[in-house]
Amino acid sequence: MAQITLQHVKKSFGKADVLKDINLEIQDGSFTILLGPSGCGKSTLLRILAGLEEESAGHIYMDTKEITYNEPKDRDVAMVFQNYALYPHMTVYQNIEYGLKIKKIPKDERKRMVADVLEMVELTDHAQKRPNKLSGGQRQRVALARAIVKRPGAFFMDEPLSNLDAKLRNHMRQELIELQQQLQTTFLYVTHDQVEAMSMGTHIIILNQGKVMQQGTPKEIYTNPENLFVAQFIGSPAVNIIEQGDYSIGIRPEKMQLITPFDTAAGDYQLEGELLSTEQLGGETIYRVKTAYGKLHVKTPSQWEAVDNKIKLSFKKEDVFFFDNDGERTAPDYTLLKDLREEPQLHFA
Ligand code: ADP
Ligand code: MG
């Protein structure tokens, strides 16, 4: 169990400033996701926390203890890698036991500890197999078991599911969520996949170009993005952006309403459009609509009826995000929307 604190952490490789003054608190017992596009510095940050890479400046604490200068083995963390890093010549049992042997834990105790984690990751029946006899998902579970058996204060995982196919990845996400709830230990999990971040994390840290863009719960990040980058990075289809001079406004596709003869309830603003395409996803329907303000997405619960080519969209005041020309969230300025008629005027043949 551990809270991790970073103060003014910086990292440069030669002239490249890869991490720029990172200040963070990762809560004890949280499932925290470090999310950001490829190359933004996620792995570098995780490696610095694990002691595998040296920071250029700054301080790192685990609870109240400073660990900035500790060796990896003295940091009470376990790292789970994407490529599993299992020993091929050892059985599943031996792979998990190895770290305990190094720590000189007596044999009887080792036996009990390994049996416990094997059960936890549901690999008891595979204990005597070599890694090459296992599926990708089973290997990933061995890698997890090897980390769990050390009983670390925190688990660090760097895109651990990216080598698995989509179905297995979904399954392992569920397993990791349940495992974290069982262990009640801090998980710090790196991914570039916003769906993974939203579905797994209790907390999300969004990184871009070596800077923290926002930190919060999935709900806070989704419903209250602090800047244009976060608004656009989270959500699928991406938030609709309408440029209005020096400002831009954002409306999530599911906050856009399609006004049809079947559903005439309108929001505060309206705009007319032409339907470009309809995508049926089973549980929901996505429309792409050409408007005077660009091509916008609308997401509704599944709607199987064909929609007229000429359509009207509407949205509510409170669902609009306003951003200034630096991309920072600003107070609402509804005069920017004055061109969008406020009074619903519906004309259906
Ligand atoms: P992410 O994990 O978010 O994809 P990384 O932390 O791996 O990003 O890398 C961030 C940046 O630092 C990239 O531009 C990468 O090329 C650079 N970088 C990472 N490691 C090194 C290194 N050992 N030497 C030089 N540049 C590096
Ligand atoms: Mg990486």
Side-chain angles (χ1 to χ4, degrees), residues 38-39 41-44 158-159 190:
S38 182
K42 304 180 295 295
S43 294
T44 303
D158 194 349
E159 314 229 13
V190 163

Side-chain angles (χ1 to χ4, degrees), residues 91-98 110-111 114-115 118 127-128:
T91 63
V92 167
Y93 188 97
Q94 290 165 336
N95 262 285
I96 300 170
E97 185 190 29
Y98 185 73
R110 289 202 311 257
K111 212 169 158 181
V114 176
L118 277 170
Q128 298 312 321

Side-chain angles (χ1 to χ4, degrees), residues 173-307:
R173 279 180 195 160
Q174 293 302 323
E175 291 207 350
L176 282 175
I177 294 168
E178 289 164 22
L179 182 67
Q180 198 271 341
Q181 281 165 0
Q182 208 176 333
L183 294 169
Q184 296 278 311
T185 306
T186 313
F187 273 35
L188 184 58
Y189 184 104
V190 163
T191 182
H192 65 276
D193 180 343
Q194 54 111 356
V195 176
E196 196 157 282
M198 290 294 284
S199 65
M200 295 176 83
T202 59
H203 293 75
I204 299 177
I205 297 162
I206 299 187
L207 208 63
N208 187 36
Q209 298 184 340
K211 282 192 207 155
V212 175
M213 304 305 285
Q214 189 168 350
Q215 183 181 20
T217 64
K219 185 181 171 192
E220 281 162 358
I221 288 202
Y222 190 79
T223 60
N224 201 9
E226 284 170 10
N227 48 61
L228 193 55
F229 179 83
V230 170
Q232 288 183 295
F233 198 69
I234 300 275
S236 175
V239 66
N240 292 303
I241 297 296
I242 298 177
E243 310 279 344
Q244 290 287 76
D246 279 350
Y247 292 83
S248 38
I249 66 162
I251 308 144
R252 295 241 179 248
E254 69 277 17
K255 298 293 186 187
M256 284 277 195
Q257 223 179 334
L258 206 58
I259 307 175
T260 67
F262 317 109
D263 179 6
T264 53
D268 301 312
Y269 297 100
Q270 285 195 34
L271 64 169
E272 288 173 355
E274 188 188 322
L275 184 65
L276 294 173
S277 65
T278 304
E279 211 181 328
Q280 297 289 3
L281 300 181
E284 53 203 22
T285 304
I286 295 168
Y287 300 96
R288 198 162 144 82
V289 182
K290 189 177 163 189
T291 73
Y293 299 90
K295 291 172 187 166
L296 307 179
H297 280 111
V298 182
K299 183 156 90 177
T300 67
S302 55
Q303 194 162 292
W304 302 100
E305 294 89 353
V307 168

Side-chain angles (χ1 to χ4, degrees), residues 67-84:
I67 57 161
T68 316
Y69 308 104
N70 289 17
E71 293 291 316
K73 66 177 175 46
D74 300 325
R75 292 195 180 205
D76 194 25
V77 301
M79 189 108 171
V80 181
F81 296 96
Q82 179 189 108
N83 58 5
Y84 322 129

